[in-house]
Amino acid sequence: MPREVAGIGVHAIYVGTERRLSETQRQVQNLESLITNSDSASRGPEKASTHNNYSAQAHFHDTAGFENALSTFQQHLEYSWPGGDRSSHRASFCSAIFHHTGSHFDLDNFFRQVTDSYQSRYGIEEKKQATSQWPDKRLVRNCIEYYDRKGLYSVFPIVDIRVVRELFDAGVLDDPSKASPVANKACLVAFTALIAQLHRHSPMFAHAKPDAYVRAVLSLLPDLFMEEADVRTLETFIILTIYIPPTGQSYPAEMMLAAAVRILYKLGGHRQNNPDGDQGTHNHYHIRSLFWLSYWMDKEMSLRACREPMINDASCDLELPSTYVSQSSTYQFLQAPLSSDILLYPSDLRLALIKSKIYRLLHSDSGRAHPESTRMQRILELDQELSALESSFPAHCQPHVFATPDCPLYAFHDLSMRGVTLHLDYYYCVKRIHEASAACSTQYSFSSGMGLSHQTSRCMLLYINQVKSFITWHSFWIYAQWLLSAVISLFYHCMSNPTSPTFSGDLEILENTRDIFSSLMRSTEEGKCIAPFYITEAFVDTLIRFAKQSYMKATAI
């Protein structure tokens, strides 16, 4: 090879590497607000500072503070209008309030008033300092043993426990100078953070600091992006995708999932056939388990935000895992010991498959472009498919059994958090199907479809009032969009039909929903106020006052 050609080749490789590094750094820039002092954290457990300063914008998981809580609430609210068309439906909503009540409702002004009210009662909050910290080895071991002993792979198949235990025993957390992929350390620490957070009430995790551990993992993102991806890299990104949404921060979670999906395709996780032959059967089974976990999260994020999913169904084998729980099993809904031999996942995978169709056929740009007759036919077909799924559930575990005001409390005694999530997930799918008639219009529709959407919202809020003990600071953002979407829909129905026989009952449901957050604020320790509860109470209370105004206007003589 001529010397000058070889030189150009070397130069091209160098430039290509530089370009790749530059692109990676640009991608990571969006996550820098989540990354605390990267230099000290990446040096390893024994050298990392436990009190690193970070940007005022970097309050990862600090949505208990008012400023971040308000921003996060606004983001969730923007996805809660019927049809998911944020700007046009928000404007239409405010215009409809003026039409029915004679009063102006300016959301920006509302948020300013809530801010002033909060600050007058609780003062202006100081910016908090974040910490980035590596977990104690004993805690890591406890998490590994707890995950294995409790059969948590059934709901969260996030790691190959055999491999993770081997990595821990090999000392990948002991000496950061050891020639070990960064993903090995990142996976162990992210895993520890998630288990300690999910099971924070267990005495063995009482003193854990999972948020600080996640920040330590986030500091490794540049190295993770540049390193050759393997299963441990995939596990790390999936764990982060699970960890972040309950903090209310959807965009960073989408970024993590995007990385996970690319790795899944690279490893062949989207295909049922095992690319490694007989020797990799166990490994491929685990990767397929990770695929379905990613698929479930992807379709959930897609439908909530009405955005294109990252996983294209047409390029995947969508055969459910052979060990997936029986459709008619009470195991899906009731508390029971878990077994790693049965895959449950956090919600029903069949709902994830239906969510994919709901978005693609009704809410995507191509779905909205179809004639109304086609869309109505699709609404009918999807409604029938969802009804068939619900009817296959055990009779005493079907959602409508619980979504009534007179359902006895003992009926909820054995219901698991997964069961609650599944029921609300089901209702949200019904709502998304029947509000599709409003998705292509800036005006609210009073079709029979929207009528069913209002009925579903009523059921959702009745259900939420029955299971309000499941709403805590740690779970609020999981339920927030479901709740806000239902509140807006039922309020609009009340306001536009103030003389309806259901008005007083629906208004009572809204008042009871508001009171959930009034009660939650009163029950906080040391007089502290959890900001998301304060904002939610104020928002629902404002809508209730508008509903009452519409009634007074309609009945005035």
Side-chain angles (χ1 to χ4, degrees):
M1 178 184 297
R3 183 176 300 174
E4 60 272 18
V5 175
I8 292 172
V10 171
H11 177 71
I13 293 172
Y14 174 78
V15 171
T17 302
E18 286 291 300
R19 187 179 296 114
R20 182 184 174 199
L21 178 59
S22 175
E23 178 64 24
T24 300
Q25 289 173 336
R26 194 157 50 248
Q27 293 173 356
V28 172
Q29 190 173 15
N30 289 325
L31 294 165
E32 284 183 345
S33 65
L34 300 179
I35 302 175
T36 62
N37 196 319
S38 175
D39 292 335
S40 61
S42 60
R43 282 197 294 267
E46 73 287 349
K47 296 184 181 180
S49 168
T50 59
H51 296 284
N52 297 321
N53 293 336
Y54 70 122
S55 161
Q57 315 257 313
H59 290 177
F60 170 67
H61 198 74
D62 186 30
T63 41
F66 185 83
E67 183 179 332
N68 291 323
L70 182 62
S71 174
T72 305
F73 183 90
Q74 290 169 328
Q75 292 170 18
H76 282 259
L77 184 63
E78 286 299 280
Y79 293 126
S80 299
W81 312 114
D85 187 349
R86 300 186 292 281
S87 58
S88 62
H89 282 289
R90 167 177 166 161
S92 175
F93 181 79
C94 294
S95 174
I97 289 178
F98 178 74
H99 173 74
H100 289 289
T101 68
S103 298
H104 289 281
F105 181 46
D106 184 325
L107 269 173
D108 294 329
N109 186 54
F110 164 77
F111 290 128
R112 284 192 293 270
Q113 291 176 348
V114 170
T115 301
D116 292 342
S117 171
Y118 183 89
Q119 291 178 349
S120 68
R121 292 184 62 179
Y122 301 102
I124 298 176
E125 299 168 341
E126 295 182 4
K127 299 295 183 183
K128 295 183 179 180
Q129 298 296 317
T131 60
S132 175
Q133 183 175 332
W134 299 91
D136 180 80
K137 284 185 62 179
R138 185 185 309 169
L139 176 63
V140 179
R141 181 181 292 280
N142 285 343
C143 287
I144 292 172
E145 299 306 325
Y146 187 89
Y147 180 85
D148 194 19
R149 184 173 68 255
K150 295 291 187 178
L152 296 180
Y153 191 91
S154 176
V155 177
F156 292 106
I158 50 177
V159 295
D160 185 330
I161 195 64
R162 176 182 55 82
V163 175
V164 165
R165 185 180 282 114
E166 289 174 356
L167 289 173
F168 177 80
D169 292 340
V172 297
L173 295 178
D174 295 339
D175 185 359
S177 65
K178 283 186 176 181
S180 176
V182 172
N184 289 346
K185 178 166 66 175
C187 180
L188 272 172
V189 177
F191 169 78
T192 301
L194 182 62
I195 299 306
Q197 176 71 343
L198 290 174
H199 300 274
R200 57 192 170 276
H201 299 302
S202 175
M204 70 173 65
F205 304 135
H207 302 293
K209 299 177 180 179
D211 291 349
Y213 310 150
V214 166
R215 292 188 185 98
V217 176
L218 291 173
S219 73
L220 301 175
L221 283 181
D223 292 331
L224 279 174
F225 277 119
M226 295 303 296
E227 196 174 69
E228 185 69 22
D230 62 8
V231 180
R232 304 291 81 76
T233 319
L234 173 60
E235 290 171 340
T236 301
F237 281 115
I238 287 179
I239 292 170
L240 290 172
T241 306
I242 295 171
Y243 191 96
I244 293 174
T247 71
Q249 302 174 80
S250 56
Y251 178 69
E254 291 175 358
M255 294 281 283
M256 301 301 173
L257 182 60
V261 170
R262 297 309 304 167
I263 299 170
L264 268 171
Y265 276 74
K266 174 181 177 291
L267 299 178
H270 61 305
R271 294 298 186 190
Q272 184 68 27
N273 293 334
N274 181 4
D276 298 327
D278 293 338
Q279 294 183 352
T281 300
H282 172 78
N283 192 51
H284 189 65
Y285 169 84
H286 175 56
I287 294 175
R288 282 292 288 178
S289 297
L290 292 169
F291 164 79
W292 278 109
L293 190 56
S294 302
Y295 185 92
W296 165 72
M297 292 188 290
D298 181 42
K299 304 311 177 183
E300 175 72 12
M301 292 178 183
S302 170
L303 190 59
R304 283 193 183 220
C306 270
R307 281 203 289 259
E308 286 290 330
M310 300 174 201
I311 297 176
N312 181 1
D313 288 15
S315 66
C316 303
D317 293 335
L318 298 180
E319 181 180 341
L320 294 175
S322 60
T323 56
Y324 187 58
V325 68
S326 169
Q327 189 166 337
S328 60
S329 172
T330 58
Y331 209 34
Q332 290 237 48
F333 304 94
L334 306 181
Q335 298 180 41
L338 298 173
S339 169
S340 297
D341 296 329
I342 298 176
L343 286 173
L344 275 171
Y345 291 96
S347 187
D348 199 320
L349 293 181
R350 299 172 194 86
L351 276 179
L353 292 167
I354 294 176
K355 286 176 187 177
S356 182
K357 294 180 182 179
I358 294 173
Y359 173 78
R360 177 169 52 85
L361 298 177
L362 298 178
H363 294 285
S364 66
D365 289 342
S366 60
R368 296 184 190 198
H370 282 282
E372 183 178 358
S373 58
T374 302
R375 290 169 55 78
M376 293 306 297
Q377 179 63 29
R378 288 177 170 180
I379 288 172
L380 178 61
E381 291 172 353
L382 286 169
D383 182 74
Q384 290 174 341
E385 186 173 351
L386 197 56
S387 296
L389 176 62
E390 188 221 10
S391 64
S392 70
F393 296 153
H396 61 291
C397 293
Q398 293 178 0
H400 65 271
V401 173
F402 300 90
T404 59
D406 54 355
C407 181
L409 289 178
Y410 66 78
F412 294 87
H413 183 266
D414 294 325
L415 198 62
S416 66
M417 187 168 185
R418 184 186 188 279
V420 169
T421 301
L422 204 164
H423 285 154
L424 290 174
D425 217 0
Y426 163 80
Y427 279 126
Y428 187 68
C429 285
V430 175
K431 189 173 185 301
R432 276 302 203 198
I433 288 172
H434 290 288
E435 71 184 13
S437 57
C440 57
S441 170
T442 58
Q443 298 298 319
Y444 283 86
S445 169
F446 294 96
S447 66
S448 59
M450 285 305 292
L452 286 170
S453 177
H454 296 138
Q455 292 178 29
T456 303
S457 297
R458 187 179 295 118
C459 290
M460 288 179 73
L461 293 178
L462 282 170
Y463 190 101
I464 287 172
N465 274 278
Q466 292 278 42
V467 296
K468 55 191 173 186
S469 62
F470 283 87
I471 299 178
T472 66
W473 157 232
H474 295 281
S475 67
F476 171 74
W477 293 115
I478 297 174
Y479 299 123
Q481 189 179 331
W482 292 339
L483 184 143
L484 290 173
S485 176
V487 163
I488 288 172
S489 179
L490 190 59
F491 156 72
Y492 189 87
H493 182 67
C494 285
M495 180 183 66
S496 56
N497 298 277
T499 59
S500 167
T502 65
F503 179 86
S504 60
D506 290 342
L507 188 66
E508 183 179 3
I509 293 172
L510 291 172
E511 290 172 336
N512 290 340
T513 302
R514 175 200 58 196
D515 293 345
I516 291 175
F517 299 97
S518 303
S519 176
L520 285 170
M521 286 192 297
R522 287 196 300 271
S523 64
T524 54
E525 297 178 1
E526 302 174 359
K528 293 180 180 179
C529 178
I530 297 179
F533 297 163
Y534 188 92
I535 299 166
T536 304
E537 184 205 33
F539 180 74
V540 179
D541 186 63
T542 299
L543 297 189
I544 289 170
R545 287 191 282 108
F546 281 130
K548 290 179 178 178
Q549 284 183 30
S550 72
Y551 177 80
M552 296 297 292
K553 182 180 178 182
T555 57
I557 300 176

